[in-house]
Amino acid sequence: MDKVKKTPQEWRAQLSPEAYHITQEAGTEAPHSGAYNDEWREGVYHCICCDLPLFRSDSKFNAGCGWPSFFEPFEGANLVE
């Protein structure tokens, strides 16, 4: 997949202020505060920007760091450019 290219204004229209800060400005959320930190339902986690699948719920584990942790990417996910 080609890199998604949007202007800052387009990203701000698509994302919440927090999501914009995290994805476009290399920010982070406070540990133990994210919506997916305590999420354990079966499913697939997708990128908030491009909607590509990133991780399966069965690869999630509690690393104790306060952020969701996964031990393998979604099969076929190209996480490194």
Side-chain angles (χ1 to χ4, degrees):
M1 175 180 194
D2 293 330
K3 185 175 182 175
V4 177
K5 296 179 184 177
K6 295 184 180 185
T7 67
Q9 294 78 16
E10 290 171 316
W11 284 122
R12 286 183 192 279
Q14 175 182 332
L15 303 169
S16 70
E18 181 182 38
Y20 180 86
H21 175 64
I22 292 166
T23 63
Q24 305 304 305
E25 300 175 327
T28 189
E29 60 194 9
H32 305 285
S33 69
Y36 299 107
N37 186 54
D38 291 321
E39 177 61 66
W40 296 101
R41 289 179 290 178
E42 185 177 323
V44 176
Y45 292 82
H46 289 249
C47 175
I48 195 171
C49 293
C50 69
D51 199 38
L52 282 177
L54 299 174
F55 305 101
R56 292 186 185 280
S57 58
D58 61 4
S59 71
K60 185 177 181 191
F61 68 99
N62 185 352
C65 63
W67 292 283
S69 301
F70 302 88
F71 60 82
E72 70 182 354
F74 187 86
E75 185 177 327
N78 182 11
L79 301 179
V80 180
E81 290 186 23

